[in-house]
Amino acid sequence: MMWDDLATMQDQGVTVSAFVGGAAPGTYRYLREDFDRFYPVLRDFLRTYGLDGVDLDIEETFSLADTIHLVDTLRADFGPDFVITLTPVATDMAGRTRFSGGFSYAELERRAGDRIDWYNTQFYCGWGDLRTTTVYDQILANGFTPGRVVAGTVTNPANCSGYVDWPTFDATVGTLAARHPDFGGVFGWEYFNSVGYAGGGRASWFAHAADVVNS
C-alpha cells in the first residue's frame, strides 16, 4: 500500500526520496567495504520503485572519498534531475564536529557541491538547535549559502533533544527567512507524532512551518 500511496503523491507533483542510513549501523560500512556488491542493491531499489531522489544520512565512518564516489556514481546512474541530498548534523556543517562520516562537509561542498542538491541539516540531538540563529550563522560562515542549507528540527520533544516551542521556532525561522531570501527552508522529524500548531493535528506542524518560511 505504501508504494501505491507514494506513486499517487508523485502523480500530484510531490518529490519522493529514499532515506538511507541514520541509526542503521552497517549501511555505509557495507558500501565502504564492498561497494561493487552493495551499491547495486541500492541502485536497483531506487529504480524498482521509481524514486525521485535519495537522502544520505551518514552516521558512521565513511570518508570524504567514499562519499564523493557514492554521490558521483548515483549522479552518473540517475542523471541531473535525480535529487541527491545529505543529512549531516548542524555542528558538522559549521565545522565544529565530524560526526556525520568523519570528514569536512565544507570540503565536500567545495569538491562535489555541484552534484549535491542541498543539505538536510539536523539541528537536534545535541548537534545544534533552533533556539537562535547562531548555529545556522556558523554554517554560513563555514562556506555554505542559505539556499543549500535546510534547517531540520524535531516535531516532538519525545523524539530527541533540541525541541523548540512555537514562539521560539517562529522567531528563529522567521528571522532566517527574512534575512535570507534564498533560505533553504525547514524539515521536521518526525511526522507521525508531530505536535501540531495551536491545537491542530500533526499536519498543522508542517503547514505552519511553511507559513513561517513563506511569510
Side-chain angles (χ1 to χ4, degrees):
M1 182 179 292
M2 181 187 74
W3 297 115
D4 290 340
D5 290 344
L6 291 177
T8 298
M9 292 174 65
Q10 288 174 304
D11 288 343
Q12 296 175 4
V14 176
T15 297
V16 177
S17 292
F19 180 83
V20 178
T27 302
Y28 292 94
R29 175 171 64 84
Y30 294 142
L31 287 168
R32 182 183 73 244
E33 294 177 353
D34 196 345
F35 189 86
D36 291 341
R37 177 184 177 188
F38 290 103
Y39 172 77
V41 177
L42 173 60
R43 179 201 62 208
D44 293 348
F45 164 76
L46 296 170
R47 285 177 173 168
T48 296
Y49 294 102
L51 295 167
D52 303 306
V54 63
D55 191 27
L56 306 174
D57 183 0
I58 305 170
E59 297 192 12
E60 55 190 316
T61 301
F62 201 64
S63 72
L64 176 62
D66 291 331
T67 303
I68 293 174
H69 181 220
L70 176 57
V71 168
D72 284 349
T73 306
L74 285 164
R75 185 60 71 204
D77 282 342
F78 290 93
D81 296 329
F82 189 74
V83 178
I84 300 175
T85 57
L86 278 83
T87 307
V89 299
T91 50
D92 277 20
M93 290 283 281
R96 292 165 41 201
T97 57
R98 294 197 175 191
F99 170 76
S100 302
F103 57 85
S104 165
Y105 274 78
E107 183 63 21
L108 174 66
E109 176 71 353
R110 284 190 288 270
R111 292 177 57 181
D114 61 331
R115 282 97 75 196
I116 296 168
D117 287 278
W118 67 82
Y119 299 89
N120 291 314
T121 308
Q122 300 180 50
F123 286 77
Y124 48 83
C125 292
W127 304 103
D129 56 55
L130 293 179
R131 290 181 298 174
T132 68
T133 67
T134 298
V135 180
Y136 197 97
D137 295 340
Q138 291 171 348
I139 292 171
L140 300 187
N142 196 37
F144 294 90
T145 58
R148 307 280 293 153
V149 185
V150 175
T153 188
V154 285
T155 61
N156 188 310
N159 294 348
C160 201
S161 63
Y163 177 79
V164 294
D165 60 21
W166 280 117
T168 304
F169 178 95
D170 291 358
T172 301
V173 175
T175 297
L176 290 172
R179 187 181 293 166
H180 307 292
D182 58 339
F183 175 54
V186 298
F187 76 83
W189 182 71
E190 297 186 44
Y191 176 78
F192 80 97
N193 66 348
S194 303
V195 176
Y197 178 70
R202 56 193 177 184
S204 68
W205 193 98
F206 299 88
H208 181 71
D211 288 343
V212 175
V213 170
N214 295 320
S215 62

